[in-house]
């Protein structure tokens, strides 16, 4: 699933490791989510959204709305 | 596999169980070779190496229960699916070949060996598909 995670992370000058620590997941998880190779569960998606103080749909692009 | 607290516990359990397996197997081979065991003791000695292998299966199950990182958990689940498919497929094909007397008999514990080999195959599959992250 496409997402803006990398951009949002870069805006805050966070490394993948920093984001992983904040989300309490592995850096590999952050990498897989950022590159769209893994779609997070709903609880993890909410955790990401709450960390960035955004709605889930502001971070993740709905597959039905992808060009 | 990435290192997480659950992964570290899993590694410790597998190392201990592997050492136990080696000790039980060497002990059983020595005892049977020198005809030291009979009756219930022989059964126990023969089963102990299998129990250590079963312990490794259980350690994988415990890892899946304890792993808090959903992505790492999914990678291990994919590995076990590859392992199961690989081991069962070869065992099934071999079983038919053996039934028709085209190949010789192979001890059934080799299914476990195939399954552990399948875990390695699953690791490769993960790296080639979703697990490319460094």
């Amino acid at each position: 699933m496409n997402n803006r995670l990398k951009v949002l992370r870069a805006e805050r000058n966070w490394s993948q490791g920093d984001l992983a620590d904040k989300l309490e997941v592995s850096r590999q998880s952050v990498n897989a989510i950022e590159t769209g190779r893994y779609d997070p569960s709903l609880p993890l998606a909410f955790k990401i959204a709450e960390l960035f103080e955004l709605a889930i749909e502001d971070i993740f692009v709905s597959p039905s709305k992808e060009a | 596999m990435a290192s997480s607290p659950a992964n570290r516990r899993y590694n410790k359990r597998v190392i201990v169980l592997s050492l136990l397996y080696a000790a039980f197997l060497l002990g059983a081979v020595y005892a049977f070779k020198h005809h030291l065991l009979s009756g219930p003791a022989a059964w126990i000695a023969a089963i102990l190496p299998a129990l250590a292998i079963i312990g490794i299966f259980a350690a994988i199950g415990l890892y899946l229960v304890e792993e808090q990182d959903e992505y790492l958990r999914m990678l291990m689940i994919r590995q076990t699916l590859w392992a199961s498919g690989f081991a069962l497929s070869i065992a099934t094909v071999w079983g038919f070949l053996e039934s028709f007397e085209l190949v010789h008999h192979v001890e059934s514990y080799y299914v476990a060996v195939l399954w552990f080999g399948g875990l390695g195959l699953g690791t490769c599959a993960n790296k080639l598909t979703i697990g490319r992250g460094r």
Side-chain angles (χ1 to χ4, degrees):
Chain A
M1 189 162 46
N2 286 334
N3 60 77
R4 298 177 53 228
L5 208 53
K6 190 173 182 178
V7 174
L8 293 167
R9 179 172 62 76
E11 283 172 1
R12 287 157 180 79
N13 281 326
W14 291 346
S15 66
Q16 284 188 345
D18 295 334
L19 180 56
D21 289 343
K22 291 175 196 298
L23 294 171
E24 297 176 308
V25 298
S26 65
R27 195 182 53 73
Q28 288 88 340
S29 301
V30 169
N31 184 281
I33 295 167
E34 266 189 12
T35 50
R37 286 182 282 110
Y38 175 69
D39 296 335
S41 67
L42 204 49
L44 182 54
F46 270 114
K47 202 170 181 180
I48 293 168
E50 285 161 10
L51 178 68
F52 288 107
E53 297 179 322
L54 292 167
I56 289 178
E57 55 267 38
D58 293 331
I59 301 173
F60 295 96
V61 181
S62 165
S64 61
K65 291 179 182 169
E66 282 179 18
Chain B
M1 198 191 300
S3 188
S4 64
N7 183 240
R8 285 190 286 276
R9 284 194 293 276
Y10 164 75
N11 285 335
K12 276 182 198 165
R13 286 169 185 151
V14 168
I15 289 168
V16 169
L17 287 162
S18 299
L19 292 172
L20 279 176
Y21 168 73
F24 289 152
L25 184 62
L26 289 173
V29 168
Y30 180 86
F32 277 94
K33 193 176 175 184
H34 292 85
H35 309 288
L36 301 175
L37 299 171
S38 63
W43 280 75
I44 291 169
I47 287 172
L48 280 176
L51 290 182
I53 297 289
I54 292 167
I56 295 178
F57 295 145
I60 292 171
L62 266 177
Y63 170 74
L64 291 174
V65 169
E66 293 175 355
E67 180 56 78
Q68 297 298 303
D69 188 309
E70 61 184 47
Y71 174 69
L72 299 182
R73 196 165 55 227
M74 185 202 63
L75 291 180
M76 177 58 106
I77 288 169
R78 285 169 57 108
Q79 269 184 269
T80 58
L81 289 174
W82 269 94
S84 301
F86 178 70
L88 291 174
S89 298
I90 292 182
T92 303
V93 170
W94 194 274
F96 277 103
L97 291 173
E98 201 176 306
S99 294
F100 295 116
E101 298 178 350
L102 294 169
V103 294
H104 62 86
H105 176 67
V106 171
E107 308 293 349
S108 60
Y109 58 68
Y110 277 105
V111 173
V113 177
L114 286 172
W115 196 84
F116 289 120
L119 281 182
L121 203 64
T123 304
C124 294
N126 279 342
K127 285 199 184 300
L128 289 171
T129 55
I130 59 169
R132 292 186 300 262
R134 283 174 288 156

